[in-house]
Amino acid sequence: MIKQDPKWKIETLIVSYSHELDSKVFEEWNKKHGNGLDMPTLFEKINEQTIKFTFHLPEELNADVYEKSFKVARIWLVSFNIVTLGHTWWYPALWPYKFKIYDVSSGEKVTTKFIAKEKRDWRGDALSYEDLKKTAMLFPVIAKLDEKFFEYYSIATTLLSSPTREHDFYEEISANFYKIIERFIATEIFKTKKASNVDLNKIIEIYKELESSEEMLKEIKDLYRLRGSTIMHSLGKDKPVTFEEAGKYKILADFLLHKHLLKRAEEGLTQIRQENDANKNPTS
């Protein structure tokens, strides 16, 4: 193997949530290996939990320097977690800009432009007064759902909002929106806690009752297949889930909840009005 001189110096911060950090350990590593490897790696304790991790890359890269930096650092981090049986990961405040990159020969910092994997445009609808009114109506009804709905929805929407270029999380997003659909149909419509009672035919039946379009029914079938072939299995299809698909699956979950819960809200308001009217006009 031909020895290559480093072209790029990359710095990033990582946090150990599980291990005490000892500066002497890092100093010993840096003294023995920091300059002895083709591409030196150095560690520096910043505080009780934070480590500055410095590594180097050669000039010849098959990808842009930011992408390569991420992949190399990720391998180090995964290896570190496996070896220590602990929890060490990116410094969260750096998200999504994880690296400082320098040209070794000049010492100049390289500017890396953040580019999302896909353009994240939504429908572009204007928020209306009616939207706020319906939100207020929905609030007391949706607050009665069990905590799992909020857990799945929060995870999916947080990941959908993530601007990182390294991970798109679309499979995880789709999985959580599917869980919302499955759980709602099982617990709120069929009044059961058995997921086996919710198969594709029953899901389609529910969406047909909501007067779903043919396109939406097709998307339900796609999500169900995805759930079986990719989301829940590591050896499924290699075709990646796209942002557009993840967004569609969010709308499928929203549509189901919107139709059922707003109906409940309206029925609840009607009952309150009827009770108020009865109190105002008691029969003799």
Side-chain angles (χ1 to χ4, degrees):
M1 180 181 289
I2 300 174
K3 178 178 172 64
Q4 300 182 71
D5 292 325
K7 167 66 176 175
W8 311 105
K9 182 178 82 170
I10 299 96
E11 296 177 354
T12 189
L13 296 179
I14 54 180
V15 177
S16 177
Y17 298 95
S18 56
H19 285 67
E20 294 182 4
L21 305 180
D22 186 346
S23 295
K24 293 180 180 178
V25 171
F26 299 137
E27 290 168 3
E28 181 180 3
W29 169 269
N30 294 342
K31 184 177 180 180
K32 291 182 177 179
H33 304 288
N35 295 312
L37 303 172
D38 286 356
M39 298 295 139
T41 56
L42 300 143
F43 299 91
E44 178 185 348
K45 178 180 176 180
I46 302 298
N47 56 40
E48 294 305 310
Q49 283 190 294
T50 309
I51 306 164
K52 182 167 80 170
F53 173 40
T54 303
F55 59 100
H56 295 75
L57 294 174
E59 186 169 6
E60 296 79 15
L61 297 174
N62 295 324
D64 70 72
V65 65
Y66 187 99
E67 181 181 349
K68 188 67 174 180
S69 299
F70 163 72
K71 289 182 177 180
V72 170
R74 183 177 59 178
I75 294 170
W76 268 95
L77 280 174
V78 170
S79 301
F80 193 76
N81 276 272
I82 291 170
V83 167
T84 62
L85 303 179
H87 179 193
T88 301
W89 208 241
W90 309 109
Y91 187 74
L94 294 180
W95 197 272
Y97 302 95
K98 294 187 178 70
F99 305 105
K100 292 180 180 178
I101 302 174
Y102 300 89
D103 186 308
V104 171
S105 59
S106 66
E108 293 182 359
K109 185 178 178 181
V110 178
T111 302
T112 56
K113 187 177 181 181
F114 171 71
I115 303 173
K117 284 189 173 182
E118 298 182 56
K119 190 175 182 181
R120 297 180 171 228
D121 289 336
W122 210 246
R123 295 197 310 272
D125 296 345
L127 186 70
S128 67
Y129 176 82
E130 191 67 19
D131 290 328
L132 300 179
K133 182 180 176 181
K134 287 181 178 179
T135 300
M137 286 174 58
L138 196 63
F139 181 88
V141 179
I142 200 168
K144 295 177 182 179
L145 297 178
D146 71 63
E147 182 61 28
K148 278 295 180 183
F149 285 102
F150 298 99
E151 178 183 321
Y152 297 148
Y153 205 100
S154 297
I155 291 171
T157 310
T158 298
L159 295 177
L160 191 62
S161 307
S162 170
T164 177
R165 33 177 309 197
E166 298 93 18
H167 295 301
D168 53 41
F169 300 112
Y170 299 150
E171 287 185 11
E172 293 82 356
I173 292 164
S174 302
N176 279 281
F177 283 127
Y178 174 80
K179 288 178 182 178
I180 291 169
I181 293 169
E182 180 184 72
R183 190 177 188 86
F184 187 84
I185 291 175
T187 62
E188 296 293 319
I189 298 177
F190 295 152
K191 305 300 181 183
T192 179
K193 292 188 176 180
K194 293 183 178 179
S196 58
N197 291 340
V198 184
D199 59 18
L200 176 59
N201 290 333
K202 290 179 180 177
I203 296 174
I204 291 293
E205 181 181 329
I206 293 296
Y207 274 83
K208 282 184 176 180
E209 291 174 1
L210 301 176
E211 299 180 349
S212 304
S213 66
E214 288 299 319
E215 181 181 358
M216 186 170 282
L217 295 177
K218 179 182 179 300
E219 289 165 358
I220 280 288
K221 293 175 183 177
D222 290 343
L223 176 57
Y224 196 85
R225 280 194 292 268
L226 189 69
R227 164 251 190 203
S229 66
T230 302
I231 293 175
M232 303 304 179
H233 301 284
S234 65
L235 299 177
K237 296 179 180 178
D238 292 330
K239 183 181 178 182
V241 181
T242 67
F243 171 73
E244 182 181 5
E245 288 171 325
K248 285 179 179 178
Y249 302 148
K250 179 185 188 300
I251 292 173
L252 290 176
D254 288 342
F255 180 79
L256 176 68
L257 300 176
H258 179 107
K259 289 288 188 179
H260 275 273
L261 297 181
L262 271 179
K263 183 180 179 182
R264 287 187 199 176
E266 289 165 355
E267 289 171 348
L269 287 175
T270 299
Q271 183 178 350
I272 290 171
R273 291 191 192 102
Q274 290 172 345
E275 291 173 354
N276 289 339
D277 290 343
N279 291 332
K280 289 178 183 177
N281 303 294
T283 57
S284 56

